[in-house]
């Protein structure tokens, strides 16, 4: 089905991240913000400054009464799966903040609902849209660094989450691993897909790529620690086997990082390496470099306005085709990998 005009969207949850994504769409004229829902009056008031024409609601049920093409979900993680399924069963496309669900079983239920309704589903895995990481992906896909053998991925947030529900296992589904590690696992799978497929005109989801080549994706080691008295982990590490490559992951909240944030994604190959790192402890500024021996070539420098690109891509696709996109199948693989890391670490969720 094609949306003839700009998609009419409802926003469920208009805290900081919901409003940020709303602003990106409104700024670029990619969608109509038709309705917003949030139980907090101050959040609704702030959303009205971005989209004064939007109708207000307090619940998903009220939101679904409006004439919409899709819904953007930015609520606590425990609510994502149920809310996404409800929207999909009403025939609406869904864009959801990560994680789509708290575990693989919930994720599979949402995917089944999206396939049954034949509706577009996407998750805000926004780091794929950082220009520095896109540059790294191109270098890997083009074979510029040779055979990929190791990927190092690090994400340390010295502040930790700002809302108490993040440290409630029932509401969040876990701690820093499901919060920050979801991005790292997704990047590991995305970059491995780039290393395995040299056909730049054909996107092969890693799940399909792995099945075609009998490449098992496994968890070799995992560790999850609670160092600051929370019911969920605030430090996690894992090593993944991705065909012939290995990915080493580390993430944390409240770490003594000496800066606000430490982010690193380095892909090591037989002929070189490509590395993306944040600049000056920033959560938003990234530099990409190509390394060969002792030489270093800068590929991308900040600034880069990347935060709204994932939702923009979803909105643009929704306008052309609201049907199910098979690339969403990869969401199940990310969730399954997170589940196995938790199980391997012996960490209750």
């Amino acid at each position: 089905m094609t949306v003839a005009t700009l998609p009419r969207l409802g926003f469920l949850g208009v805290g900081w991240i919901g409003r940020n994504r709303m602003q990106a769409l409104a700024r670029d004229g990619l969608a109509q913000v038709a309705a917003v829902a949030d139980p907090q009056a101050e959040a609704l008031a702030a959303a009205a400054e971005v989209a004064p024409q939007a109708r207000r609601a307090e619940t998903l049920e009220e939101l679904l009464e409006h004439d919409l093409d899709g819904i953007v979900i930015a609520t606590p993680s425990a609510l994502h799966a149920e809310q996404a399924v409800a929207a999909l069963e009403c025939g609406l496309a869904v864009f959801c903040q990560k994680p789509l669900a708290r575990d693989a079983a919930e994720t599979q239920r949402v995917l089944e609902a999206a396939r049954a309704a034949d509706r577009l589903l996407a998750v805000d895995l926004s780091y794929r849209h950082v220009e520095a990481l896109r540059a790294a992906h191109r270098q890997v896909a083009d074979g510029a660094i040779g055979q990929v053998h190791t990927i190092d991925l690090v994400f340390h947030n010295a502040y930790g989450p700002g809302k108490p529900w993040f440290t409630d296992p029932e509401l969040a589904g876990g701690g820093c691993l499901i919060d920050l590690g979801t991005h790292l696992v997704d990047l590991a799978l995305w970059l491995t897909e780039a290393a395995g497929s040299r056909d730049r005109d054909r996107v092969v989801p890693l799940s399909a790529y792995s099945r075609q080549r009998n490449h098992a994706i496994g968890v070799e080691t995992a560790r999850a620690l609670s160092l600051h008295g929370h019911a969920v982990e605030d430090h996690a590490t894992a090593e993944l086997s991705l065909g012939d490559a290995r990915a080493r992951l580390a993430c944390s909240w409240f770490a003594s990082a000496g800066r606000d944030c430490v982010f690193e994604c380095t892909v090591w190959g037989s002929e070189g390496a490509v590395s993306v790192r944040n600049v000056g402890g920033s959560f938003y500024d990234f530099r990409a470099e190509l390394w060969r021996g002792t030489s270093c070539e800068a590929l991308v420098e900040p600034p880069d306005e990347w935060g709204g690109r994932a939702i923009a891509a979803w909105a643009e696709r929704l306008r052309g085709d609201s049907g199910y996109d098979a690339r969403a199948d990869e969401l199940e693989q990310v969730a399954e990998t997170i589940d196995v890391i938790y199980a391997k670490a012996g960490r209750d969720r």
Side-chain angles (χ1 to χ4, degrees):
M1 183 181 77
T2 300
V3 178
T5 59
L6 291 180
R8 289 175 52 83
L9 302 181
F11 279 74
L12 182 61
V14 286
W16 179 86
I17 191 68
R19 292 197 305 275
N20 179 275
R21 301 314 189 234
M22 184 191 305
Q23 287 170 329
L25 291 182
R27 179 190 65 226
D28 297 335
L30 296 173
Q32 301 177 56
V33 181
V36 298
D38 198 292
Q40 301 296 322
E42 59 270 26
L44 289 172
E49 296 180 8
V50 179
Q53 78 287 353
R55 303 291 297 273
R56 292 190 182 190
E58 293 186 1
T59 66
L60 173 60
E61 290 71 25
E62 290 181 23
L63 200 61
L64 293 175
E65 293 175 1
H66 295 277
D67 180 21
L68 303 173
D69 299 302
I71 282 186
V72 178
I73 298 173
T75 56
S77 298
L79 307 177
H80 288 179
E82 181 179 351
Q83 291 169 340
V85 168
L88 290 162
E89 289 180 343
C90 286
L92 302 182
V94 169
F95 183 85
C96 187
Q97 282 303 307
K98 59 80 194 166
L100 178 60
R102 292 171 294 180
D103 55 33
E106 284 188 349
T107 300
Q108 185 176 29
R109 187 160 63 90
V110 180
L111 290 170
E112 288 172 351
R115 295 185 193 109
D118 190 25
R119 285 295 174 265
L120 186 63
L121 170 67
V123 170
D124 198 359
L125 294 169
S126 53
Y127 287 86
R128 288 192 181 202
H129 297 268
V130 173
E131 188 52 45
L133 286 159
R134 286 174 167 180
H137 188 272
R138 288 193 294 269
Q139 294 293 320
V140 172
D142 287 342
I145 63 172
Q147 181 180 350
V148 171
H149 57 82
T150 305
I151 306 173
D152 286 321
L153 291 145
V154 175
F155 199 164
H156 298 306
N157 178 345
Y159 287 114
K163 296 181 179 179
W165 67 261
F166 274 91
T167 55
D168 183 333
E170 286 299 315
L171 294 178
C176 66
L177 175 59
I178 199 166
D179 178 34
L180 307 178
T182 291
H183 286 301
L184 302 185
V185 169
D186 177 64
L187 289 174
L189 303 186
W190 183 55
L191 290 163
T192 303
E193 166 264 313
S197 176
R198 293 286 180 257
D199 185 347
R200 294 296 305 284
D201 296 324
R202 177 170 172 263
V203 177
V204 180
L206 181 64
S207 53
Y209 168 76
S210 301
R211 288 194 297 269
Q212 291 167 5
R213 293 157 179 79
N214 197 29
H215 281 184
I217 297 174
V219 178
E220 301 297 318
T221 63
R223 191 183 193 199
L225 304 174
S226 179
L227 301 175
H228 297 88
H230 299 114
V232 296
E233 80 287 348
D234 48 41
H235 180 90
T237 58
E239 181 173 343
L240 310 182
S241 60
L242 301 165
D244 296 328
R246 295 291 184 273
R248 300 181 295 210
L249 281 57
C251 59
S252 70
W253 292 333
F254 313 113
S256 298
R259 65 205 74 181
D260 293 352
C261 170
V262 176
F263 180 94
E264 176 186 353
C265 174
T266 301
V267 187
W268 302 91
S270 57
E271 306 299 326
V274 61
S275 185
V276 175
R277 300 185 181 196
N278 66 319
V279 177
S282 172
F283 284 93
Y284 309 105
D285 295 331
F286 298 91
R287 174 185 294 122
E289 298 174 340
L290 178 63
W291 300 341
R292 296 188 187 280
T294 59
S295 71
C296 173
E297 175 188 349
L299 300 175
V300 174
E301 297 280 358
D304 175 29
E305 295 293 332
W306 53 272
R309 286 184 185 143
I311 195 169
W314 172 80
E316 288 174 350
R317 184 177 178 94
L318 176 59
R319 188 177 183 186
D321 182 2
S322 63
Y324 184 73
D325 182 353
R327 285 176 292 187
D329 293 350
E330 296 180 14
L331 298 169
E332 185 173 3
Q333 191 166 45
V334 172
E336 288 175 349
T337 303
I338 294 289
D339 279 1
V340 175
I341 292 173
Y342 275 117
K344 191 87 171 182
R347 181 76 181 173
D348 292 333
R349 299 169 69 183

